Amino acid sequence: MDRPDLRVSVVRAPTETVVSLTGEIDMSTVPRLAAAVSEVLNEPPARVVLDMAGVTFCDSQGLGTLVVLSRKATLTQSYLVLVNVGAFLIRVLDITGLRNALMIQEA
């Protein structure tokens, strides 16, 4: 069985940092996501954008990590916004009641 993978790329700009995600967010890949966003928040931009266009799966651990990272961004006086969120993830966020806990920018 193939292990799920998550590719993370970070592009910094003066007022925001975009973290693009490709692959699956689950218990084996959340440490990579958390580390990347935590590193960005060491010198926090005004806004951290998580580009979710390439995300194909997100389990409960991934959902929890997104909420924790959002709160962590707030504590650093930054904010975390999710963009290009797929319909499957919007549905999961609605079902779990977590949609209101995250800032989601819709197209």
Side-chain angles (χ1 to χ4, degrees), residues 27-107:
M27 70 188 258
S28 67
T29 62
V30 293
R32 191 171 314 130
L33 169 59
V37 174
S38 293
E39 184 176 321
V40 166
L41 292 174
N42 283 333
E43 293 180 32
R47 178 170 117 131
V48 178
V49 177
L50 286 187
D51 187 343
M52 308 289 284
V55 173
T56 56
F57 176 79
C58 186
D59 71 3
S60 60
Q61 185 129 11
L63 295 174
T65 299
L66 292 173
V67 172
V68 167
L69 292 172
S70 179
R71 290 182 181 153
K72 189 173 184 177
T74 300
L75 290 174
T76 66
Q77 299 183 359
S78 181
Y79 65 97
L80 183 119
V81 60
L82 279 60
V83 299
N84 299 318
V85 180
F88 83 93
L89 187 51
I90 291 290
R91 181 166 160 74
V92 170
L93 291 169
D94 284 340
I95 290 169
T96 59
L98 291 175
R99 186 172 184 171
N100 292 332
L102 298 167
M103 187 177 297
I104 300 171
Q105 182 178 318
E106 301 196 32

Side-chain angles (χ1 to χ4, degrees), residues 5-9 20-23 32:
D5 192 26
L6 179 68
R7 287 187 305 283
V8 179
S9 66
S20 298
L21 307 173
T22 304
R32 191 171 314 130

